[in-house]
PDB file of all heavy atoms in Angstrom:
ATOM      1  N   MET A   1      -7.430   0.427 -19.745  1.00 91.00           N
ATOM      2  CA  MET A   1      -6.464   0.554 -18.675  1.00 91.00           C
ATOM      3  C   MET A   1      -7.076  -0.205 -17.503  1.00 91.00           C
ATOM      4  O   MET A   1      -8.207   0.152 -17.114  1.00 91.00           O
ATOM      5  CB  MET A   1      -6.153   1.987 -18.344  1.00 91.00           C
ATOM      6  CG  MET A   1      -5.497   2.762 -19.446  1.00 91.00           C
ATOM      7  SD  MET A   1      -5.356   4.558 -19.055  1.00 91.00           S
ATOM      8  CE  MET A   1      -4.066   4.573 -17.784  1.00 91.00           C
ATOM      9  N   THR A   2      -6.431  -1.229 -16.958  1.00 94.00           N
ATOM     10  CA  THR A   2      -7.087  -2.146 -16.089  1.00 94.00           C
ATOM     11  C   THR A   2      -6.374  -2.435 -14.808  1.00 94.00           C
ATOM     12  O   THR A   2      -5.147  -2.331 -14.717  1.00 94.00           O
ATOM     13  CB  THR A   2      -7.383  -3.493 -16.831  1.00 94.00           C
ATOM     14  OG1 THR A   2      -6.103  -4.029 -17.266  1.00 94.00           O
ATOM     15  CG2 THR A   2      -8.252  -3.316 -18.064  1.00 94.00           C
ATOM     16  N   MET A   3      -7.158  -2.930 -13.832  1.00 95.00           N
ATOM     17  CA  MET A   3      -6.648  -3.574 -12.575  1.00 95.00           C
ATOM     18  C   MET A   3      -6.987  -5.052 -12.666  1.00 95.00           C
ATOM     19  O   MET A   3      -8.122  -5.396 -13.061  1.00 95.00           O
ATOM     20  CB  MET A   3      -7.307  -2.947 -11.368  1.00 95.00           C
ATOM     21  CG  MET A   3      -6.822  -1.573 -11.037  1.00 95.00           C
ATOM     22  SD  MET A   3      -7.599  -0.975  -9.506  1.00 95.00           S
ATOM     23  CE  MET A   3      -6.761   0.611  -9.343  1.00 95.00           C
ATOM     24  N   LEU A   4      -6.070  -5.901 -12.333  1.00 96.00           N
ATOM     25  CA  LEU A   4      -6.267  -7.334 -12.232  1.00 96.00           C
ATOM     26  C   LEU A   4      -6.030  -7.792 -10.820  1.00 96.00           C
ATOM     27  O   LEU A   4      -5.090  -7.334 -10.155  1.00 96.00           O
ATOM     28  CB  LEU A   4      -5.362  -8.076 -13.165  1.00 96.00           C
ATOM     29  CG  LEU A   4      -5.529  -7.860 -14.714  1.00 96.00           C
ATOM     30  CD1 LEU A   4      -4.542  -8.676 -15.477  1.00 96.00           C
ATOM     31  CD2 LEU A   4      -6.929  -8.156 -15.150  1.00 96.00           C
ATOM     32  N   ALA A   5      -6.848  -8.735 -10.416  1.00 97.00           N
ATOM     33  CA  ALA A   5      -6.727  -9.271  -9.035  1.00 97.00           C
ATOM     34  C   ALA A   5      -6.832 -10.777  -9.036  1.00 97.00           C
ATOM     35  O   ALA A   5      -7.702 -11.332  -9.696  1.00 97.00           O
ATOM     36  CB  ALA A   5      -7.736  -8.668  -8.072  1.00 97.00           C
ATOM     37  N   ALA A   6      -5.963 -11.442  -8.296  1.00 97.00           N
ATOM     38  CA  ALA A   6      -6.124 -12.871  -7.950  1.00 97.00           C
ATOM     39  C   ALA A   6      -6.563 -12.935  -6.497  1.00 97.00           C
ATOM     40  O   ALA A   6      -6.011 -12.254  -5.630  1.00 97.00           O
ATOM     41  CB  ALA A   6      -4.822 -13.605  -8.154  1.00 97.00           C
ATOM     42  N   VAL A   7      -7.546 -13.782  -6.197  1.00 98.00           N
ATOM     43  CA  VAL A   7      -8.249 -13.680  -4.878  1.00 98.00           C
ATOM     44  C   VAL A   7      -8.621 -15.102  -4.350  1.00 98.00           C
ATOM     45  O   VAL A   7      -8.961 -15.966  -5.190  1.00 98.00           O
ATOM     46  CB  VAL A   7      -9.548 -12.851  -4.999  1.00 98.00           C
ATOM     47  CG1 VAL A   7     -10.117 -12.633  -3.638  1.00 98.00           C
ATOM     48  CG2 VAL A   7      -9.335 -11.561  -5.712  1.00 98.00           C
ATOM     49  N   SER A   8      -8.520 -15.235  -3.040  1.00 98.00           N
ATOM     50  CA  SER A   8      -9.098 -16.382  -2.359  1.00 98.00           C
ATOM     51  C   SER A   8      -9.727 -15.898  -1.053  1.00 98.00           C
ATOM     52  O   SER A   8      -9.314 -14.885  -0.465  1.00 98.00           O
ATOM     53  CB  SER A   8      -8.060 -17.442  -2.049  1.00 98.00           C
ATOM     54  OG  SER A   8      -7.765 -18.185  -3.202  1.00 98.00           O
ATOM     55  N   LYS A   9     -10.703 -16.657  -0.563  1.00 98.00           N
ATOM     56  CA  LYS A   9     -11.223 -16.410   0.794  1.00 98.00           C
ATOM     57  C   LYS A   9     -10.208 -16.735   1.852  1.00 98.00           C
ATOM     58  O   LYS A   9      -9.347 -17.612   1.659  1.00 98.00           O
ATOM     59  CB  LYS A   9     -12.466 -17.226   1.011  1.00 98.00           C
ATOM     60  CG  LYS A   9     -13.695 -16.833   0.232  1.00 98.00           C
ATOM     61  CD  LYS A   9     -14.871 -17.738   0.625  1.00 98.00           C
ATOM     62  CE  LYS A   9     -16.163 -17.378  -0.011  1.00 98.00           C
ATOM     63  NZ  LYS A   9     -17.293 -18.249   0.403  1.00 98.00           N
ATOM     64  N   ARG A  10     -10.310 -15.990   2.986  1.00 96.00           N
ATOM     65  CA  ARG A  10      -9.530 -16.300   4.170  1.00 96.00           C
ATOM     66  C   ARG A  10     -10.511 -16.804   5.247  1.00 96.00           C
ATOM     67  O   ARG A  10     -11.685 -16.352   5.260  1.00 96.00           O
ATOM     68  CB  ARG A  10      -8.833 -15.098   4.712  1.00 96.00           C
ATOM     69  CG  ARG A  10      -7.596 -14.633   3.954  1.00 96.00           C
ATOM     70  CD  ARG A  10      -7.075 -13.336   4.571  1.00 96.00           C
ATOM     71  NE  ARG A  10      -6.613 -13.546   5.924  1.00 96.00           N
ATOM     72  CZ  ARG A  10      -5.338 -13.774   6.226  1.00 96.00           C
ATOM     73  NH1 ARG A  10      -4.426 -13.860   5.354  1.00 96.00           N
ATOM     74  NH2 ARG A  10      -5.029 -13.966   7.543  1.00 96.00           N
ATOM     75  N   PRO A  11     -10.065 -17.670   6.154  1.00 94.00           N
ATOM     76  CA  PRO A  11     -10.990 -18.079   7.218  1.00 94.00           C
ATOM     77  C   PRO A  11     -11.196 -17.100   8.326  1.00 94.00           C
ATOM     78  O   PRO A  11     -12.125 -17.236   9.174  1.00 94.00           O
ATOM     79  CB  PRO A  11     -10.261 -19.384   7.742  1.00 94.00           C
ATOM     80  CG  PRO A  11      -8.791 -19.093   7.512  1.00 94.00           C
ATOM     81  CD  PRO A  11      -8.779 -18.338   6.165  1.00 94.00           C
ATOM     82  N   ASP A  12     -10.311 -16.083   8.417  1.00 95.00           N
ATOM     83  CA  ASP A  12     -10.508 -15.027   9.458  1.00 95.00           C
ATOM     84  C   ASP A  12     -11.132 -13.798   8.862  1.00 95.00           C
ATOM     85  O   ASP A  12     -11.532 -13.770   7.669  1.00 95.00           O
ATOM     86  CB  ASP A  12      -9.165 -14.732  10.118  1.00 95.00           C
ATOM     87  CG  ASP A  12      -8.119 -14.189   9.120  1.00 95.00           C
ATOM     88  OD1 ASP A  12      -8.514 -13.904   7.954  1.00 95.00           O
ATOM     89  OD2 ASP A  12      -6.928 -14.074   9.499  1.00 95.00           O
ATOM     90  N   GLU A  13     -11.246 -12.779   9.660  1.00 96.00           N
ATOM     91  CA  GLU A  13     -11.922 -11.522   9.230  1.00 96.00           C
ATOM     92  C   GLU A  13     -10.851 -10.436   8.856  1.00 96.00           C
ATOM     93  O   GLU A  13     -10.854  -9.368   9.433  1.00 96.00           O
ATOM     94  CB  GLU A  13     -12.825 -11.017  10.334  1.00 96.00           C
ATOM     95  CG  GLU A  13     -14.002 -11.964  10.565  1.00 96.00           C
ATOM     96  CD  GLU A  13     -14.938 -11.400  11.676  1.00 96.00           C
ATOM     97  OE1 GLU A  13     -15.765 -10.572  11.340  1.00 96.00           O
ATOM     98  OE2 GLU A  13     -14.807 -11.824  12.823  1.00 96.00           O
ATOM     99  N   THR A  14      -9.979 -10.839   7.939  1.00 98.00           N
ATOM    100  CA  THR A  14      -8.892  -9.944   7.528  1.00 98.00           C
ATOM    101  C   THR A  14      -8.836  -9.815   6.033  1.00 98.00           C
ATOM    102  O   THR A  14      -9.000 -10.871   5.362  1.00 98.00           O
ATOM    103  CB  THR A  14      -7.558 -10.415   8.099  1.00 98.00           C
ATOM    104  OG1 THR A  14      -7.610 -10.556   9.503  1.00 98.00           O
ATOM    105  CG2 THR A  14      -6.421  -9.437   7.771  1.00 98.00           C
ATOM    106  N   ILE A  15      -8.589  -8.624   5.527  1.00 98.00           N
ATOM    107  CA  ILE A  15      -8.263  -8.468   4.142  1.00 98.00           C
ATOM    108  C   ILE A  15      -6.768  -8.227   4.009  1.00 98.00           C
ATOM    109  O   ILE A  15      -6.211  -7.325   4.667  1.00 98.00           O
ATOM    110  CB  ILE A  15      -9.009  -7.231   3.512  1.00 98.00           C
ATOM    111  CG1 ILE A  15     -10.488  -7.297   3.758  1.00 98.00           C
ATOM    112  CG2 ILE A  15      -8.633  -7.069   2.016  1.00 98.00           C
ATOM    113  CD1 ILE A  15     -11.212  -8.327   2.939  1.00 98.00           C
ATOM    114  N   VAL A  16      -6.101  -9.078   3.237  1.00 98.00           N
ATOM    115  CA  VAL A  16      -4.643  -8.943   3.008  1.00 98.00           C
ATOM    116  C   VAL A  16      -4.465  -8.625   1.523  1.00 98.00           C
ATOM    117  O   VAL A  16      -4.848  -9.438   0.669  1.00 98.00           O
ATOM    118  CB  VAL A  16      -3.872 -10.195   3.409  1.00 98.00           C
ATOM    119  CG1 VAL A  16      -2.379 -10.019   3.095  1.00 98.00           C
ATOM    120  CG2 VAL A  16      -4.025 -10.454   4.899  1.00 98.00           C
ATOM    121  N   LEU A  17      -3.902  -7.476   1.211  1.00 98.00           N
ATOM    122  CA  LEU A  17      -3.720  -7.026  -0.135  1.00 98.00           C
ATOM    123  C   LEU A  17      -2.246  -6.865  -0.465  1.00 98.00           C
ATOM    124  O   LEU A  17      -1.534  -6.100   0.218  1.00 98.00           O
ATOM    125  CB  LEU A  17      -4.452  -5.721  -0.402  1.00 98.00           C
ATOM    126  CG  LEU A  17      -4.187  -5.014  -1.748  1.00 98.00           C
ATOM    127  CD1 LEU A  17      -4.675  -5.885  -2.927  1.00 98.00           C
ATOM    128  CD2 LEU A  17      -4.845  -3.624  -1.805  1.00 98.00           C
ATOM    129  N   GLU A  18      -1.768  -7.571  -1.494  1.00 96.00           N
ATOM    130  CA  GLU A  18      -0.432  -7.413  -1.964  1.00 96.00           C
ATOM    131  C   GLU A  18      -0.528  -6.871  -3.423  1.00 96.00           C
ATOM    132  O   GLU A  18      -0.956  -7.551  -4.346  1.00 96.00           O
ATOM    133  CB  GLU A  18       0.329  -8.761  -2.019  1.00 96.00           C
ATOM    134  CG  GLU A  18       0.522  -9.412  -0.665  1.00 96.00           C
ATOM    135  CD  GLU A  18       1.805  -8.963   0.021  1.00 96.00           C
ATOM    136  OE1 GLU A  18       2.618  -8.288  -0.607  1.00 96.00           O
ATOM    137  OE2 GLU A  18       1.962  -9.314   1.198  1.00 96.00           O
ATOM    138  N   SER A  19      -0.168  -5.581  -3.610  1.00 94.00           N
ATOM    139  CA  SER A  19      -0.279  -4.928  -4.870  1.00 94.00           C
ATOM    140  C   SER A  19       1.085  -4.619  -5.384  1.00 94.00           C
ATOM    141  O   SER A  19       1.932  -4.036  -4.673  1.00 94.00           O
ATOM    142  CB  SER A  19      -1.106  -3.641  -4.766  1.00 94.00           C
ATOM    143  OG  SER A  19      -1.291  -3.096  -6.031  1.00 94.00           O
ATOM    144  N   GLU A  20       1.430  -5.033  -6.626  1.00 91.00           N
ATOM    145  CA  GLU A  20       2.747  -4.806  -7.162  1.00 91.00           C
ATOM    146  C   GLU A  20       3.185  -3.375  -7.083  1.00 91.00           C
ATOM    147  O   GLU A  20       2.465  -2.482  -7.564  1.00 91.00           O
ATOM    148  CB  GLU A  20       2.770  -5.279  -8.628  1.00 91.00           C
ATOM    149  CG  GLU A  20       2.736  -6.814  -8.789  1.00 91.00           C
ATOM    150  CD  GLU A  20       2.928  -7.216 -10.265  1.00 91.00           C
ATOM    151  OE1 GLU A  20       4.004  -6.945 -10.804  1.00 91.00           O
ATOM    152  OE2 GLU A  20       1.969  -7.828 -10.806  1.00 91.00           O
ATOM    153  N   GLY A  21       4.354  -3.128  -6.490  1.00 88.00           N
ATOM    154  CA  GLY A  21       4.858  -1.799  -6.404  1.00 88.00           C
ATOM    155  C   GLY A  21       4.507  -1.065  -5.158  1.00 88.00           C
ATOM    156  O   GLY A  21       4.919   0.112  -4.992  1.00 88.00           O
ATOM    157  N   TYR A  22       3.709  -1.693  -4.280  1.00 91.00           N
ATOM    158  CA  TYR A  22       3.261  -0.976  -3.058  1.00 91.00           C
ATOM    159  C   TYR A  22       3.431  -1.880  -1.859  1.00 91.00           C
ATOM    160  O   TYR A  22       3.448  -3.111  -1.960  1.00 91.00           O
ATOM    161  CB  TYR A  22       1.776  -0.628  -3.211  1.00 91.00           C
ATOM    162  CG  TYR A  22       1.427   0.317  -4.348  1.00 91.00           C
ATOM    163  CD1 TYR A  22       1.117  -0.131  -5.648  1.00 91.00           C
ATOM    164  CD2 TYR A  22       1.545   1.685  -4.140  1.00 91.00           C
ATOM    165  CE1 TYR A  22       0.863   0.792  -6.637  1.00 91.00           C
ATOM    166  CE2 TYR A  22       1.313   2.577  -5.171  1.00 91.00           C
ATOM    167  CZ  TYR A  22       0.950   2.111  -6.454  1.00 91.00           C
ATOM    168  OH  TYR A  22       0.707   2.968  -7.463  1.00 91.00           O
ATOM    169  N   PRO A  23       3.517  -1.283  -0.687  1.00 94.00           N
ATOM    170  CA  PRO A  23       3.628  -2.061   0.556  1.00 94.00           C
ATOM    171  C   PRO A  23       2.363  -2.901   0.794  1.00 94.00           C
ATOM    172  O   PRO A  23       1.257  -2.512   0.355  1.00 94.00           O
ATOM    173  CB  PRO A  23       3.800  -1.063   1.695  1.00 94.00           C
ATOM    174  CG  PRO A  23       4.224   0.260   0.963  1.00 94.00           C
ATOM    175  CD  PRO A  23       3.593   0.212  -0.374  1.00 94.00           C
ATOM    176  N   PRO A  24       2.485  -4.056   1.441  1.00 96.00           N
ATOM    177  CA  PRO A  24       1.271  -4.829   1.717  1.00 96.00           C
ATOM    178  C   PRO A  24       0.332  -4.074   2.672  1.00 96.00           C
ATOM    179  O   PRO A  24       0.767  -3.269   3.502  1.00 96.00           O
ATOM    180  CB  PRO A  24       1.803  -6.115   2.360  1.00 96.00           C
ATOM    181  CG  PRO A  24       3.202  -5.749   2.834  1.00 96.00           C
ATOM    182  CD  PRO A  24       3.691  -4.673   1.910  1.00 96.00           C
ATOM    183  N   ILE A  25      -0.945  -4.450   2.580  1.00 97.00           N
ATOM    184  CA  ILE A  25      -1.974  -3.792   3.386  1.00 97.00           C
ATOM    185  C   ILE A  25      -2.754  -4.880   4.090  1.00 97.00           C
ATOM    186  O   ILE A  25      -3.151  -5.913   3.477  1.00 97.00           O
ATOM    187  CB  ILE A  25      -2.927  -2.895   2.527  1.00 97.00           C
ATOM    188  CG1 ILE A  25      -2.163  -1.782   1.945  1.00 97.00           C
ATOM    189  CG2 ILE A  25      -4.136  -2.443   3.343  1.00 97.00           C
ATOM    190  CD1 ILE A  25      -2.978  -0.946   0.890  1.00 97.00           C
ATOM    191  N   GLU A  26      -3.076  -4.707   5.350  1.00 97.00           N
ATOM    192  CA  GLU A  26      -3.980  -5.555   6.152  1.00 97.00           C
ATOM    193  C   GLU A  26      -5.060  -4.692   6.737  1.00 97.00           C
ATOM    194  O   GLU A  26      -4.781  -3.712   7.344  1.00 97.00           O
ATOM    195  CB  GLU A  26      -3.257  -6.326   7.205  1.00 97.00           C
ATOM    196  CG  GLU A  26      -2.351  -7.427   6.675  1.00 97.00           C
ATOM    197  CD  GLU A  26      -1.912  -8.414   7.748  1.00 97.00           C
ATOM    198  OE1 GLU A  26      -2.567  -8.454   8.856  1.00 97.00           O
ATOM    199  OE2 GLU A  26      -0.936  -9.191   7.529  1.00 97.00           O
ATOM    200  N   VAL A  27      -6.277  -5.180   6.629  1.00 98.00           N
ATOM    201  CA  VAL A  27      -7.459  -4.482   7.211  1.00 98.00           C
ATOM    202  C   VAL A  27      -8.239  -5.482   7.987  1.00 98.00           C
ATOM    203  O   VAL A  27      -8.637  -6.529   7.463  1.00 98.00           O
ATOM    204  CB  VAL A  27      -8.322  -3.767   6.175  1.00 98.00           C
ATOM    205  CG1 VAL A  27      -9.602  -3.233   6.765  1.00 98.00           C
ATOM    206  CG2 VAL A  27      -7.538  -2.683   5.458  1.00 98.00           C
ATOM    207  N   ASP A  28      -8.474  -5.172   9.278  1.00 98.00           N
ATOM    208  CA  ASP A  28      -9.240  -6.028  10.175  1.00 98.00           C
ATOM    209  C   ASP A  28     -10.760  -5.647  10.013  1.00 98.00           C
ATOM    210  O   ASP A  28     -11.168  -4.547  10.342  1.00 98.00           O
ATOM    211  CB  ASP A  28      -8.795  -5.846  11.614  1.00 98.00           C
ATOM    212  CG  ASP A  28      -9.446  -6.771  12.619  1.00 98.00           C
ATOM    213  OD1 ASP A  28     -10.476  -7.379  12.280  1.00 98.00           O
ATOM    214  OD2 ASP A  28      -8.936  -6.897  13.724  1.00 98.00           O
ATOM    215  N   LEU A  29     -11.566  -6.626   9.514  1.00 98.00           N
ATOM    216  CA  LEU A  29     -12.956  -6.321   9.299  1.00 98.00           C
ATOM    217  C   LEU A  29     -13.786  -6.200  10.606  1.00 98.00           C
ATOM    218  O   LEU A  29     -14.962  -5.879  10.514  1.00 98.00           O
ATOM    219  CB  LEU A  29     -13.530  -7.400   8.396  1.00 98.00           C
ATOM    220  CG  LEU A  29     -12.934  -7.505   7.011  1.00 98.00           C
ATOM    221  CD1 LEU A  29     -13.605  -8.660   6.206  1.00 98.00           C
ATOM    222  CD2 LEU A  29     -13.101  -6.191   6.248  1.00 98.00           C
ATOM    223  N   ARG A  30     -13.130  -6.495  11.752  1.00 97.00           N
ATOM    224  CA  ARG A  30     -13.866  -6.263  12.991  1.00 97.00           C
ATOM    225  C   ARG A  30     -13.805  -4.809  13.418  1.00 97.00           C
ATOM    226  O   ARG A  30     -14.480  -4.395  14.352  1.00 97.00           O
ATOM    227  CB  ARG A  30     -13.197  -7.120  14.080  1.00 97.00           C
ATOM    228  CG  ARG A  30     -13.411  -8.639  13.895  1.00 97.00           C
ATOM    229  CD  ARG A  30     -12.533  -9.395  14.797  1.00 97.00           C
ATOM    230  NE  ARG A  30     -11.113  -9.186  14.613  1.00 97.00           N
ATOM    231  CZ  ARG A  30     -10.136  -9.784  15.272  1.00 97.00           C
ATOM    232  NH1 ARG A  30     -10.449 -10.639  16.255  1.00 97.00           N
ATOM    233  NH2 ARG A  30      -8.893  -9.500  15.012  1.00 97.00           N
ATOM    234  N   ASP A  31     -12.989  -4.001  12.681  1.00 97.00           N
ATOM    235  CA  ASP A  31     -12.969  -2.543  12.961  1.00 97.00           C
ATOM    236  C   ASP A  31     -13.279  -1.817  11.676  1.00 97.00           C
ATOM    237  O   ASP A  31     -12.478  -1.643  10.778  1.00 97.00           O
ATOM    238  CB  ASP A  31     -11.486  -2.188  13.411  1.00 97.00           C
ATOM    239  CG  ASP A  31     -11.295  -0.691  13.544  1.00 97.00           C
ATOM    240  OD1 ASP A  31     -12.311   0.021  13.563  1.00 97.00           O
ATOM    241  OD2 ASP A  31     -10.124  -0.271  13.585  1.00 97.00           O
ATOM    242  N   LEU A  32     -14.529  -1.404  11.587  1.00 97.00           N
ATOM    243  CA  LEU A  32     -15.004  -0.738  10.364  1.00 97.00           C
ATOM    244  C   LEU A  32     -15.380   0.734  10.560  1.00 97.00           C
ATOM    245  O   LEU A  32     -16.111   1.260   9.799  1.00 97.00           O
ATOM    246  CB  LEU A  32     -16.181  -1.554   9.769  1.00 97.00           C
ATOM    247  CG  LEU A  32     -15.875  -2.981   9.251  1.00 97.00           C
ATOM    248  CD1 LEU A  32     -17.066  -3.622   8.673  1.00 97.00           C
ATOM    249  CD2 LEU A  32     -14.744  -2.947   8.245  1.00 97.00           C
ATOM    250  N   LYS A  33     -14.906   1.294  11.641  1.00 97.00           N
ATOM    251  CA  LYS A  33     -15.143   2.697  11.811  1.00 97.00           C
ATOM    252  C   LYS A  33     -14.277   3.516  10.881  1.00 97.00           C
ATOM    253  O   LYS A  33     -13.268   3.034  10.349  1.00 97.00           O
ATOM    254  CB  LYS A  33     -14.897   3.097  13.282  1.00 97.00           C
ATOM    255  CG  LYS A  33     -13.489   3.014  13.754  1.00 97.00           C
ATOM    256  CD  LYS A  33     -13.339   3.448  15.193  1.00 97.00           C
ATOM    257  CE  LYS A  33     -11.915   3.357  15.698  1.00 97.00           C
ATOM    258  NZ  LYS A  33     -11.434   1.985  15.806  1.00 97.00           N
ATOM    259  N   VAL A  34     -14.638   4.808  10.685  1.00 96.00           N
ATOM    260  CA  VAL A  34     -13.826   5.687   9.857  1.00 96.00           C
ATOM    261  C   VAL A  34     -12.474   5.974  10.552  1.00 96.00           C
ATOM    262  O   VAL A  34     -12.454   6.340  11.727  1.00 96.00           O
ATOM    263  CB  VAL A  34     -14.549   6.995   9.597  1.00 96.00           C
ATOM    264  CG1 VAL A  34     -13.656   7.965   8.821  1.00 96.00           C
ATOM    265  CG2 VAL A  34     -15.854   6.725   8.825  1.00 96.00           C
TER     266      VAL A  34
END
C-alpha cells in the first residue's frame, strides 16, 4: 500500500502540496514554530 509523489524544487521557501482528493496545502518554511 503506497504513496506516490511527483516533485520539483521551488525557488522560494514554500512547500505546495496537491494531493488527490484533498484541498491544496501551502507551508511557509520561514515559519517553523509549532
Side-chain angles (χ1 to χ4, degrees):
M1 296 172 72
T2 58
M3 289 182 176
L4 296 179
V7 189
S8 283
K9 289 183 177 180
R10 287 177 61 97
D12 59 9
E13 295 181 82
T14 305
I15 306 290
V16 178
L17 171 64
E18 297 271 352
S19 184
E20 288 187 62
Y22 298 92
I25 294 171
E26 288 194 17
V27 173
D28 187 342
L29 296 180
R30 293 169 298 181
D31 174 16
L32 296 182
K33 65 179 181 294
V34 176

